[in-house]
Amino acid sequence: MDTSTIQINYVTEWWPLLLIGVSLLALVTTVLWVVAKLRNPSAPLAALVGATAGFQTAQVASIHVFCFAVALWLLIGALRRPRDRLRFGWPLLVVACACLLASTVLTGEMVNSKLVAIQLVLLAGTSACLIAFGSTEDVRPFLLGLLTVTSLACVAAVAQYAGVLPYKIYLGTHRPIGFYSEPDWLGMFSAVGLMIAFRNKIGWLRTPLVFLHVIVLLLAAARAAWLAVVVVAIVGYVVGKVTRRSGRTKAEPLRGGFRMAVGSIVVVLVALALSPELSDSLQSRIAGVSGGRTEVGAMARQQQNNSLLELESLAPWTGLGLSASGRVGVSGRIGYIGTSKNNIASNWLLGWWVDGGLFAIPIILLFLGAAARRVTVTSGLLLGVVLVSSLFSNATLIPISWLALAMCLMRTTPNDPDPPPELKPEAKPEPRAEPIEAAEPAALEVARVA
């Protein structure tokens, strides 16, 4: 058979895919060329970094596209601009903590997948690059790129709930999923977008975006996201009030926050009044967690935590190895033999403790300390939302956690205002010499005689 004929038929059959591939390659090349010619190429690339962090499982060859976006931002943008002295303390600490936990795949007795260690180190490395080379001008593009993706996901979720877009029904419930695999993930990302929209100055878009994320947070019926928003909002508000009185805070609340909170409550009440199905769904979700009604999801979470505690009792001081906690299935059953489809546990604290034992303590303290360090500004609130949500849906191996961690450990954070006027040292006016032409004639005469 003539091989040339086979090649021609192959190309002819697959020409649409080839055309799309060539077009995408040309588009990417053009975008990169244009970005490289910009005076400040970091801004669009930083927005791309934030946008890729808004996806859950967007990967190429098991590597998150977030890592590629950070590499482009670093090579084309961050390294080309003048910068101050680099700080390597926090970046080295992040990488060291991640490598310490990743090393347990070499010693663990129940390692499920060694690929998880590579993914963990890559995410930690990209976060370290953001910390070392990022600056104040990158933070806002990070947040706006992330907000863009969460807003689009919310629009898709509303369209799914309205029946305009199809989606996979999750456990027989009419809960939209947006761009994500489950409604719980949609709830976490809508909570993240809500924090960004509420805390940042984005003009007239602020109010509609806040209401959009509130509605989707309601539609997703993600109890973990509800809890995260309530806990983080209360903690951030209380800490902000206390530190502001002592004059040590760097946070500055935006105007109109109380009115927007009241407006969000009104929007929720109107939505519940207009949709009895939504009201019934939310009541069943609340009753399931409060014990008023047996709910499959709540029971599964309890069984998963019990199984993780069972594994912890069997683990040595170095843990069972990274990804071992993933052997706890959705129903809570432990797969001791063979491999499991999951590689991470639903609870990030218990999961890392089972995986690494004492080797997991440094990275756990790193995440908790970073969130506490910036709890009064947007980055700390974002990381707090992710960590609280990850007690039920683990997000520590997706980019959103590591972007939030990087922004908490960077030199500056968003919405950091100047010091209050009373704390600024008063600038003393420098003595200004009078010009010789302005001197009095008598003075000139005296100088001449002298």
Side-chain angles (χ1 to χ4, degrees), residues 112-174:
N112 190 61
S113 173
K114 294 184 177 180
L115 179 62
V116 178
I118 299 176
Q119 293 176 336
L120 176 64
V121 173
L122 283 175
L123 289 172
T126 54
S127 182
C129 289
L130 294 174
I131 298 170
F133 297 95
S135 64
T136 308
E137 62 186 15
D138 294 316
V139 174
R140 183 171 175 82
F142 286 158
L143 296 176
L144 292 182
L146 179 57
L147 178 61
T148 300
V149 174
T150 60
S151 300
L152 292 176
C154 288
V155 172
V158 173
Q160 291 169 352
Y161 188 82
V164 177
L165 292 179
Y167 67 101
K168 183 179 180 181
I169 301 299
Y170 181 74
L171 295 179
T173 60
H174 192 45

Side-chain angles (χ1 to χ4, degrees), residues 145-204:
L146 179 57
L147 178 61
T148 300
V149 174
T150 60
S151 300
L152 292 176
C154 288
V155 172
V158 173
Q160 291 169 352
Y161 188 82
V164 177
L165 292 179
Y167 67 101
K168 183 179 180 181
I169 301 299
Y170 181 74
L171 295 179
T173 60
H174 192 45
R175 299 163 60 195
I177 60 176
F179 294 161
Y180 310 104
S181 60
E182 296 180 6
D184 291 337
W185 291 112
L186 173 64
M188 187 196 74
F189 279 100
S190 62
V192 166
L194 174 62
M195 287 295 171
I196 299 174
F198 186 83
R199 294 277 306 177
N200 286 266
K201 297 178 181 179
I202 51 179
W204 64 271

Side-chain angles (χ1 to χ4, degrees), residues 195 198 227-240 375 381 385:
M195 287 295 171
F198 186 83
L227 177 65
V229 170
V230 172
V231 170
V232 169
I234 293 176
V235 172
Y237 179 80
V238 172
V239 174
V375 71
L381 297 175
V385 166

